[in-house]
Amino acid sequence: MLVLGDAHADDPENRRALLAAYRQADADVALQLGDLLHYDLPIPTWFIAGNNEDFDVVAALRNGLVTNSRVDNAHLLASTAVDLQGIRVAGLSGNFAPTKYDRPRANLVGERRRHFTHEDVQAAMDLTDVDVLLTHEAPHGLPVAEEYDVGCSHVDDLLNALDPELCLVGHHHEHAETTFGGTRVVSLAPAWERYYALDPDTLALTDYETPDT
């Protein structure tokens, strides 16, 4: 199973790198950790929305719609889960904003649709038997190099509730690892640098250099 970090594939060079990773991995399905920005994909890909997306496309996918012919093989995980190759994968889309968290999702408009809300987190907490959780926002304790304190208590709460074996995190453009309770937490490098292969039997994660485009 192919696993990809942030893509920012509205940039042509990043898009070429993203598609090169798909070709090199030669996988049947893929997971992607947000900031995708290109939704016409070679194989079925389950992704979470990041803080940089086409939010009209994301809104359409939330409602089970496809907006145009440039959306293919893109499946949104938004407080939902899917069974893939014998493992159950769940995703929380968006990032945290204190001033938006308690607002109804329906009240978020424009770029504010990038944020997750209390109802999103609660819906995710009601999921069961999750093996792998995808988040764009990190839990506490992830050793990434940022100029602010990394970690969101709502993601902490979600990990405590679901207790997945593995949590994959986007957003930080850096490979880093920690544990949170019984969960291995991995921040992924961006897709233009590295791609990953996930063994569905063991949940072992192996990274590879993205080939030159």
Side-chain angles (χ1 to χ4, degrees), residues 125-157:
M125 284 187 175
D126 291 338
L127 300 171
T128 58
D129 301 321
V130 173
D131 300 302
V132 179
L133 177 66
L134 313 182
T135 66
H136 201 68
E137 192 82 51
H140 282 92
L142 191 62
V144 290
E146 297 284 8
E147 295 180 352
Y148 60 92
D149 293 332
V150 172
C152 175
S153 61
H154 302 298
V155 178
D156 297 349
D157 293 342

Side-chain angles (χ1 to χ4, degrees), residues 86-185:
I87 60 174
R88 187 158 174 80
V89 181
L92 175 69
S93 281
N95 70 333
F96 175 60
T99 59
K100 306 302 175 185
Y101 182 70
D102 290 318
R103 297 187 65 181
R105 165 149 295 283
N107 288 359
L108 301 185
V109 298
E111 293 297 302
R112 291 302 186 182
R113 293 176 290 176
R114 73 182 65 205
H115 304 304
F116 61 73
T117 66
H118 178 269
E119 65 189 72
D120 296 328
V121 173
Q122 188 57 58
M125 284 187 175
D126 291 338
L127 300 171
T128 58
D129 301 321
V130 173
D131 300 302
V132 179
L133 177 66
L134 313 182
T135 66
H136 201 68
E137 192 82 51
H140 282 92
L142 191 62
V144 290
E146 297 284 8
E147 295 180 352
Y148 60 92
D149 293 332
V150 172
C152 175
S153 61
H154 302 298
V155 178
D156 297 349
D157 293 342
L158 188 55
L159 286 177
N160 284 327
L162 300 183
D163 192 28
E165 186 170 339
L166 178 64
C167 176
L168 301 175
V169 180
H171 188 56
H172 297 289
H173 298 187
E174 178 184 353
H175 184 97
E177 301 193 28
T178 190
T179 57
F180 187 96
T183 300
R184 180 188 179 198
V185 180

Side-chain angles (χ1 to χ4, degrees), residues 2 4 7 9 14-15 18-19 22-23 28-33 36-48 53 57 61 69-76:
L2 173 63
L4 296 158
N14 288 348
R15 186 181 310 128
L18 175 70
L19 296 177
Y22 274 100
R23 287 193 300 271
D28 295 324
V29 296
L31 306 176
Q32 198 276 331
L33 273 294
L36 180 53
L37 287 165
H38 178 72
Y39 309 96
D40 184 4
L41 304 171
I43 60 174
T45 300
W46 278 262
F47 79 103
I48 54 170
E53 301 287 357
V57 168
L61 290 172
S69 61
R70 293 176 296 172
V71 181
D72 189 39
N73 280 325
H75 306 279
L76 182 68

